Amino acid sequence: MKTVHVLYENADWLPPLTEALASRGLDVVEHFIDGGSIDISSPPPEGIFLNRMSPSSHTRGHQAGVVFMGEYLAWLESWGRRVINGSEAFALEVSKVRQHAVLQSAAILTPKTIAVIGLEAMRDAARSLTPPFITKHNQGGKGLGVQLFSSHAALDATLDAGGYDNSPDSVNLLQQYIEPSEPFITRVEIVDGEFLYALRSSTEGGFELCPADACSIEDAFCPVGTQADSGKFGIRHDVTADDPLVKRLIALCRSHRIDVAGIEFVEDAHGNRYVYDINGTTNFNSAVEAAHGFHGMGAIADLCVRELDGLGAAAAR
Ligand SMILES: Nc1ncnc2c1ncn2[C@@H]1O[C@H](COP(=O)(O)OP(=O)(O)O)[C@@H](O)[C@H]1O
Ligand SMILES: [Mg+2]
């Protein structure tokens, strides 16, 4: 039997993925990664592994799972197990500092950003940015910690009032705010080095932007959910696989072993496109996908099939 081990912490996000895997005849074993125990003295089970640990896990009480996942992936890979979005992708997933670093070294435009350790250093660090600027969590997801400040005094007042929630890893970013020329951001969906589509996501409701179906229900601006076709999300047909930025993003995914990614950029009034977020645990908006004939989870499932076929062929040699 061809087995895909799905490592996850949010069961609400699983059905679209497990249905796509099952429809391709794959055996799915779900592993909830938070709590419990794993015998690391024994080899991991056979099959391939799919990492679905989200950087917003702490909002569901699963921060320990985020920390453990880094260890778990190292163990799996030490045994030569294939992990989709393995340790290198995961290290990026949970750190916007690292995302910024790889984007910069790939000569991809990013907003000017300062990393701050501990909240006390934020005031002084912010002085080196010209307002408006935003704050955000290093381990970010769903727009957590993203606040817009139009002056240094406004940040000071927020900090004085205890109005800024610390990142789960205590590292926060101060970042140049890029005023969008039109009120949306773009999310480029990539699976296994292939461009799937570019999602357009309205910024009119605020900063918490996750396209998942499950998030659209619970968190008004999350792009994953099923009731998600509220007009907030759409397809950008003008952003294609031939777009030079898309090509660079694909090359970046390849060179950093990111198998699955939703990468976000915002465009300013001068046409500059700033990339600011790499999501590995990408979820897809089923309503938008259905309307346009896309199927992101299907693309992930097809990748699993290819990987398992590759394992089978290697074993037969
Ligand atoms: N530098 C920026 N300039 C303008 N808007 C931004 C910037 N960074 C983030 N945003 C807005 O905030 C949202 C959430 O920020 P993001 O970095 O994607 O955090 P998360 O990882 O939590 O999704 C973005 O989708 C975008 O709308
Ligand atoms: Mg984002």
Side-chain angles (χ1 to χ4, degrees), residues 119-120 122-123 137 147 149 153-166:
L119 297 185
E120 262 320 295
M122 276 180 118
R123 294 166 210 267
H137 290 175
Q147 291 183 42
F149 292 97
L155 173 65
D156 293 349
T158 297
L159 291 170
D160 287 342
Y164 183 77
D165 286 333
N166 205 353

Side-chain angles (χ1 to χ4, degrees), residues 55-56 93 96 99 110-113 133-148 173 175-180 184-187 201-203 206-210 264-266 274-279:
S56 66
E93 168 86 325
K96 288 196 193 300
Q99 291 172 25
T110 55
K112 178 177 166 58
T113 306
F133 57 85
I134 60 172
T135 54
K136 61 172 76 171
H137 290 175
N138 186 45
Q139 184 189 318
K142 301 197 299 185
L144 295 166
V146 179
Q147 291 183 42
L148 175 62
L173 304 186
Q175 188 169 79
Q176 171 194 7
Y177 175 67
I178 309 300
E179 171 99 53
F184 64 82
I185 62 98
T186 303
R187 177 163 163 141
S201 177
S202 168
T203 53
F207 290 127
E208 295 203 5
L209 291 164
C210 173
E264 297 173 2
F265 69 82
V266 57
Y274 292 83
V275 179
Y276 60 82
D277 189 21
I278 301 175
N279 302 278

Side-chain angles (χ1 to χ4, degrees), residues 12 18 33 63 87 89 106 109 111 150 183 189 220 224 243 262 287-288 300 302:
D12 290 350
T18 51
I33 305 295
Q63 177 64 10
S87 55
L109 189 62
S150 55
E189 301 291 358
V224 187
D243 188 303
V288 172
I300 295 177
D302 289 340

Side-chain angles (χ1 to χ4, degrees), residues 301-316:
D302 289 340
L303 167 60
C304 292
V305 170
R306 287 194 296 277
E307 292 292 339
L308 283 161
D309 285 349
L311 281 185

Side-chain angles (χ1 to χ4, degrees), residues 29-304:
V29 180
E30 297 172 7
H31 301 264
F32 175 64
I33 305 295
D34 190 88
S37 63
I38 293 165
D39 177 9
I40 56 168
S41 307
S42 303
E46 297 297 332
I48 63 165
F49 292 76
L50 179 51
N51 169 19
R52 300 288 298 165
M53 176 63 70
S54 165
S56 66
S57 298
H58 61 290
T59 63
R60 293 172 290 276
H62 301 149
Q63 177 64 10
V66 174
V67 176
F68 183 65
M69 184 61 86
E71 314 296 295
Y72 191 53
L73 295 176
W75 174 65
L76 292 174
E77 290 172 357
S78 75
W79 282 91
R81 294 294 181 275
R82 169 72 165 107
V83 185
I84 292 173
N85 276 20
S87 55
E88 194 172 351
F90 188 61
L92 284 166
E93 168 86 325
V94 295
S95 169
K96 288 196 193 300
V97 169
R98 291 182 190 221
Q99 291 172 25
H100 195 270
V102 298
L103 287 164
Q104 278 221 307
S105 42
I108 294 170
L109 189 62
T110 55
K112 178 177 166 58
T113 306
I114 297 166
V116 184
I117 300 88
L119 297 185
E120 262 320 295
M122 276 180 118
R123 294 166 210 267
D124 286 347
R127 264 53 188 184
S128 61
L129 287 176
T130 307
F133 57 85
I134 60 172
T135 54
K136 61 172 76 171
H137 290 175
N138 186 45
Q139 184 189 318
K142 301 197 299 185
L144 295 166
V146 179
Q147 291 183 42
L148 175 62
F149 292 97
S150 55
S151 68
H152 296 117
L155 173 65
D156 293 349
T158 297
L159 291 170
D160 287 342
Y164 183 77
D165 286 333
N166 205 353
S167 173
D169 64 359
S170 292
V171 177
N172 292 280
L173 304 186
L174 293 160
Q175 188 169 79
Q176 171 194 7
Y177 175 67
I178 309 300
E179 171 99 53
S181 58
E182 291 179 60
F184 64 82
I185 62 98
T186 303
R187 177 163 163 141
V188 177
E189 301 291 358
I190 297 168
V191 174
D192 195 22
E194 297 286 330
F195 169 80
L196 297 186
Y197 56 84
L199 185 82
R200 167 197 170 110
S201 177
S202 168
T203 53
E204 282 171 323
F207 290 127
E208 295 203 5
L209 291 164
C210 173
D213 294 336
C215 286
S216 298
I217 297 162
E218 285 170 24
D219 308 294
F221 308 113
C222 180
V224 187
T226 44
Q227 297 176 13
D229 204 7
S230 57
K232 185 163 184 66
F233 304 105
I235 297 294
R236 278 198 70 176
H237 295 287
D238 56 325
V239 177
T240 67
D242 293 329
D243 188 303
L245 177 57
V246 170
K247 287 183 173 174
R248 281 182 179 212
L249 296 176
I250 286 173
L252 181 136
C253 287
R254 287 218 170 96
S255 58
H256 293 281
R257 297 169 191 266
I258 306 170
D259 300 293
V260 179
I263 306 183
E264 297 173 2
F265 69 82
V266 57
E267 190 163 341
D268 74 7
H270 307 291
N272 299 309
R273 296 184 293 179
Y274 292 83
V275 179
Y276 60 82
D277 189 21
I278 301 175
N279 302 278
T281 317
T282 194
N283 284 298
F284 305 98
N285 184 292
S286 59
V288 172
E289 287 201 338
H292 296 276
F294 297 120
H295 193 204
M297 289 303 179
I300 295 177
D302 289 340
L303 167 60
C304 292

